[in-house]
Amino acid sequence: MLPTRTLGTTGPAVSALGLGCMGMSALYGEADRAESIATIHAALEAGVTLLDTGDFYGMGHNELLIAEALRTAPAGRREQALTSVKFGALRTVEGGFTGYDGRPAAVKNFAAYSLQRLGTGHIDVYRIARVDPDVPIEETVGAIAELVEAGHVRHIGLSEVGADTLRRAAAVAPIADLQIEYSLISRGIEEKILPAARELGIGVTAYGVLSRGLISGHFTRDRSLAPGDFRGMSPRFQGENLHRNLDLVDRLRAVSEAKGVSVAQTAIAWALAQGDDIVPLVGARTRARLTEALGALDVVLDPADLAAIEAAVPAGAAAGERYPAAQMAHLDSEH
């Protein structure tokens, strides 16, 4: 079994690595359904208990995929699985994003549809994907708290919120964790958000620990992205930014090779080493990538290793923002 970590002081114990399932349905081009389900099964068999999704990933496709994987998994593994679900994003038929809805009635509506698609009796951690600027966070969190009281949700989470919003939300109800991007090249949470989470006893589920593959060691300078791949619009994957960021990866590769591990394993191990209150989410879409990611749990980084990693990829060294400008505007965590 894998080592476990607890999501904050009020959340559940989960595997030290969680599986982010978004890429199996959306934003990275075509995915292989059979391989996706096999990867979820392999993750469960290895002891991964936390499956992260969003109701808007493929407009429900990802939840249905997880439901199929759970339904066809051995009963013992299925019963150990915990679901972490984001909601609130508004989509168009063409796949565009038009905003977020955090009204209490909408919260309960989104939950009803997720429970139906997942085929589970409850959602383990439920969170709005981005703060709705037109609805006080207290109202959105209050609605999730009512779902907890009714038994439909076990724990309340948040996503991409700043320190002030985190405090306001925690004053309404216990918050298990904050899901937010955190990696060697996305370290903005270290100044205010992470200290606030720790002050409040809120765990962190860190997504983007490989920065959407950018610091995985597998992304090449001449790679052509498939139609519909989000990275085609991501500033960090554009032009000179890409070359500068891959220069950082080359430096990280030198450190990794000296350690006898892969670049991806080094990046994941670094995130794990930032605190026992942090649970990295790995977006593996294949069993091979999953196996590599799980290998990071065996990597021990001593102070000299951490210093070498910091020297190779200093805080703030990334070129380009982590999202296009229009999406950055939706991030309460960046305001």
Side-chain angles (χ1 to χ4, degrees), residues 44 58 68 73 86 104 123 137 147 155 170-171 175 180 194 202 205 256 262 265 268-269 279 281 291 295:
L44 295 172
E68 182 178 347
K86 290 178 290 299
I123 295 166
I137 194 64
L147 289 169
H155 302 280
I175 306 297
I180 196 163
L194 185 55
I202 296 171
T205 41
S256 302
S262 74
Q265 288 169 340
I268 296 167
V279 175
L281 300 173
T291 298

Side-chain angles (χ1 to χ4, degrees), residues 23-94:
M24 298 176 180
S25 296
L27 299 180
Y28 291 111
E30 290 294 323
D32 183 322
R33 186 179 187 87
E35 181 61 23
S36 295
I37 291 173
T39 300
I40 295 173
H41 284 169
L44 295 172
E45 186 62 30
V48 172
T49 61
L50 184 63
L51 303 178
D52 184 76
T53 185
D55 64 8
F56 50 93
Y57 293 165
M59 285 81 151
H61 178 279
N62 204 235
E63 290 178 321
L64 292 169
L65 183 77
I66 289 173
E68 182 178 347
L70 291 177
R71 189 170 59 249
T72 54
R77 297 304 184 192
R78 179 171 64 247
E79 291 161 4
Q80 293 171 3
L82 287 83
T83 53
S84 168
V85 179
K86 290 178 290 299
F87 68 89
L90 303 176
R91 307 292 304 271
T92 65
V93 174
E94 294 75 23

Side-chain angles (χ1 to χ4, degrees), residues 21 75 80 87 121 126 145 157 222 234 238 276 287 293 305 328:
C21 300
Q80 293 171 3
F87 68 89
Y126 201 47
D222 59 353
S234 174
Q238 304 301 312
D276 289 341
R287 286 166 285 181
D305 295 325
M328 288 292 289

Side-chain angles (χ1 to χ4, degrees), residues 146-205:
E146 290 178 7
L147 289 169
V148 172
E149 186 176 353
H152 304 309
V153 168
R154 293 279 170 85
H155 302 280
I156 304 171
L158 292 168
S159 176
E160 286 289 355
V161 304
D164 291 345
T165 303
L166 200 59
R167 291 191 174 91
R168 287 169 52 198
V172 175
I175 306 297
D177 74 316
L178 167 64
Q179 187 173 122
I180 196 163
E181 185 166 357
Y182 186 41
S183 73
L184 268 169
I185 64 171
S186 296
R187 297 178 60 177
I189 74 169
E190 293 177 343
E191 182 179 355
K192 294 180 180 179
I193 296 173
L194 185 55
R198 287 174 167 161
E199 171 195 326
L200 296 165
I202 296 171
V204 170
T205 41

Side-chain angles (χ1 to χ4, degrees), residues 108-331:
K108 295 173 182 178
N109 177 77
F110 287 130
Y113 278 84
S114 283
L115 286 166
Q116 178 67 28
R117 284 188 291 260
L118 288 167
T120 55
H122 65 273
I123 295 166
D124 291 287
V125 189
Y126 201 47
R127 71 188 85 241
I128 190 164
R130 301 287 186 268
V131 174
D132 180 344
D134 297 324
V135 178
I137 194 64
E138 291 85 351
E139 293 184 18
T140 302
V141 168
I144 305 175
E146 290 178 7
L147 289 169
V148 172
E149 186 176 353
H152 304 309
V153 168
R154 293 279 170 85
H155 302 280
I156 304 171
L158 292 168
S159 176
E160 286 289 355
V161 304
D164 291 345
T165 303
L166 200 59
R167 291 191 174 91
R168 287 169 52 198
V172 175
I175 306 297
D177 74 316
L178 167 64
Q179 187 173 122
I180 196 163
E181 185 166 357
Y182 186 41
S183 73
L184 268 169
I185 64 171
S186 296
R187 297 178 60 177
I189 74 169
E190 293 177 343
E191 182 179 355
K192 294 180 180 179
I193 296 173
L194 185 55
R198 287 174 167 161
E199 171 195 326
L200 296 165
I202 296 171
V204 170
T205 41
Y207 77 87
V209 290
L210 297 180
S211 198
R212 299 164 186 85
L214 182 59
I215 59 171
S216 67
H218 301 298
F219 203 94
T220 59
R221 297 173 191 273
D222 59 353
R223 179 171 173 176
S224 296
L225 295 172
D229 192 318
F230 160 82
R231 293 170 292 189
M233 298 182 295
S234 174
R236 288 184 176 172
F237 288 82
Q238 304 301 312
E240 185 59 28
N241 286 350
L242 175 63
H243 292 288
R244 288 172 56 190
N245 291 328
L246 290 180
D247 286 344
L248 296 175
V249 176
D250 288 340
R251 291 160 60 177
L252 187 61
R253 182 175 285 106
V255 176
S256 302
E257 289 176 349
K259 185 76 176 171
V261 299
S262 74
V263 175
Q265 288 169 340
T266 301
I268 296 167
W270 177 89
L272 285 162
Q274 302 314 300
D276 289 341
D277 53 348
I278 295 171
V279 175
L281 300 173
V282 295
R285 300 201 297 168
T286 66
R287 286 166 285 181
R289 291 287 186 258
L290 173 69
T291 298
E292 180 184 25
L294 292 174
L297 292 165
D298 297 322
V299 177
V300 178
L301 299 176
D302 61 27
D305 295 325
L306 290 168
I309 293 168
E310 293 273 351
V313 188
E321 297 285 1
R322 55 196 183 99
Y323 285 103
Q327 294 184 41
M328 288 292 289
H330 286 296
L331 298 177

